[in-house]
Every structure is written in structure tokens, then in C-alpha cells.
Amino acid sequence: MARQLPYQTLREIFSRFQAADAEPKGELDHVNAYTLLVAVALSAQATDSGVNKATRALFPIADTPEKMLELGEDGLIAHIKTIGLFRNKARNVIKMARILVDEYGGEVPNSRAALEGLPGVGRKTANVVLNMWWHYPAQAVDTHIFRLGNRSGIAPGKDVVAVERAIEDNIPADFQLHAHHWMILHGRYTCVARKPKCAACLIRDLCEYEDKNL
């Protein structure tokens, strides 16, 4: 685990991220808060591209909890069977739809506690929805962010909650809204797990990673 980078270094890092991509976007396809919630829930232990492929035909016919309930668990499985853990995910999505209809009038709640109370929704999923749909500065820590945070010193921590706190406590406030997207994209495409692309990294001179490849 690298040491926590100082404030001015973090400001320079995120200034560079912002200059390269001022408005980073999540890569899961969605049309409203509900389809975003479903897509993020389906993305656990799956790739965004794999989820998008599965939901391409699903969301045009089931873009609300009511329509998802009409489709039913078997109908949903037919659309998402290419995604890992599809049976368990289908069960949770249908249960989630029932709760949203019965307790929230078919609307997706905009509080972390309420979101985490839904089947198949953990802290990371809740934070993604809060950030992407309601533009809260919530930090959704996935494997890419956890790796990048610890390897670079941007946000070191022994677990995902510690990394989330490190982001919230140390990254300048004016970068908080897009921080997790910049970090996900950098971890997904540049600071990859097995062989990070240090030669192409725009923050290489600021990073604490000791094994930078030449």
C-alpha cells in the first residue's frame, strides 16, 4: 500500500484527469433511474459491456418496476442468462421491483439507506446510482478504484470502505463529483491489474507505484 499523496499532488492529478476528460461518463447503458439501478445490480461480477449486451433488448420492454414485474422472473432470465449469477440476480431484480412498487410508488429512492435496503443492492451500487443519477459526490469503490487508490497513493486503504473514506477525506471538493469515474476509467484502461501501462499514464510522475515499467 502506497502512502497517502499530499493535497497539492492530488489536485494536480485530478486537474490532469479533468483536462483529459471534463465530463467522464459511466459505461452502463440506461434510460432512467430504475434502469440504471438494475444495470448496476446486474454488473456485479460481470463486465459493463456484457450487461449492456443483455439489457439492449430488456430495457425497451421493462424500463419501470411495473413492467419488470409483468415480464416476470422467467422472462427476465431469458434476457440476462449470458450474465454471471443470472438466476440469483433475476430473483433479486424481481423482488426489488415489488418493493419499489409497494413501498416507493414505483420510484427509485434517492437515499443510500433506502437503496441499500433493496435486494441485491450494496453500498457500491447505491453510490453509483446516487452519483450518476442524482449527481451526489458519492464514491463507488470497485476493484479498479481499490487497486488504483492503493497502488498510486491517491486513496490508500485496507478495504473498500477505507478507500471510499480516503477519497472523501483527501480529494479536493471540486473534483469529488467525478472522482470515482476518473479513477474507474484510469484503472480499467491504463492502471490495469497485471501490467499497468505506465508509459502511457498521464500521472506517472506523481504516482507512488514503485514498480513503474520503463
Side-chain angles (χ1 to χ4, degrees):
M1 185 188 301
R3 69 181 179 91
Q4 174 66 61
L5 292 170
Y7 177 87
Q8 288 302 330
T9 303
L10 291 173
R11 172 159 287 285
E12 176 61 23
I13 284 173
F14 283 89
S15 293
R16 293 183 190 182
F17 285 155
Q18 185 180 59
D21 185 2
E23 294 287 334
K25 304 295 183 186
E27 297 184 320
L28 286 170
D29 294 338
H30 60 282
V31 296
N32 54 27
Y34 175 67
T35 54
L36 174 60
L37 176 61
V38 171
V40 180
L42 293 176
S43 71
Q45 300 182 51
T47 64
D48 287 359
S49 59
V51 172
N52 289 341
K53 184 177 180 181
T55 59
R56 196 166 294 134
L58 172 64
F59 288 158
I61 61 171
D63 61 351
T64 67
E66 294 85 354
K67 291 178 183 177
M68 191 66 76
L69 289 173
E70 290 177 11
L71 182 63
E73 190 172 325
D74 289 341
L76 176 56
I77 285 174
H79 285 278
I80 68 169
K81 59 187 177 183
T82 56
I83 300 175
L85 306 175
F86 67 90
R87 292 188 187 281
N88 187 55
K89 289 177 180 178
R91 194 176 307 117
N92 281 334
V93 168
I94 295 300
K95 287 180 181 177
M96 179 200 303
R98 174 50 61 194
I99 292 172
L100 289 175
V101 169
D102 291 349
E103 299 183 20
Y104 296 98
E107 299 295 325
V108 176
N110 64 348
S111 84
R112 181 184 286 120
L115 287 167
E116 287 190 61
L118 297 171
V121 177
R123 188 178 183 87
K124 185 183 79 170
T125 296
N127 282 347
V128 171
V129 174
L130 290 171
N131 181 278
M132 288 182 63
W133 193 257
W134 283 288
H135 307 297
Y136 293 177
Q139 308 302 332
V141 178
D142 68 352
T143 56
H144 300 298
I145 291 181
F146 186 79
R147 177 178 66 253
L148 174 62
N150 279 290
R151 181 185 274 169
S152 66
I154 291 174
K158 66 183 187 306
D159 55 39
V160 294
V161 174
V163 171
E164 180 182 330
R165 296 267 164 75
I167 295 172
E168 292 173 344
D169 292 346
N170 296 291
I171 291 174
D174 48 323
F175 297 119
Q176 288 277 333
L177 179 60
H178 295 310
H180 96 273
H181 275 132
W182 281 317
M183 292 180 72
I184 285 173
L185 294 171
H186 194 70
R188 182 175 289 165
Y189 297 112
T190 303
C191 196
V192 296
R194 293 185 180 273
K195 196 172 182 181
K197 302 172 183 177
C198 296
C201 177
L202 77 168
I203 62 166
R204 181 180 178 182
D205 57 314
L206 305 173
C207 170
E208 286 286 299
Y209 182 47
E210 293 181 355
D211 300 325
K212 294 176 187 175
N213 45 67
L214 300 176

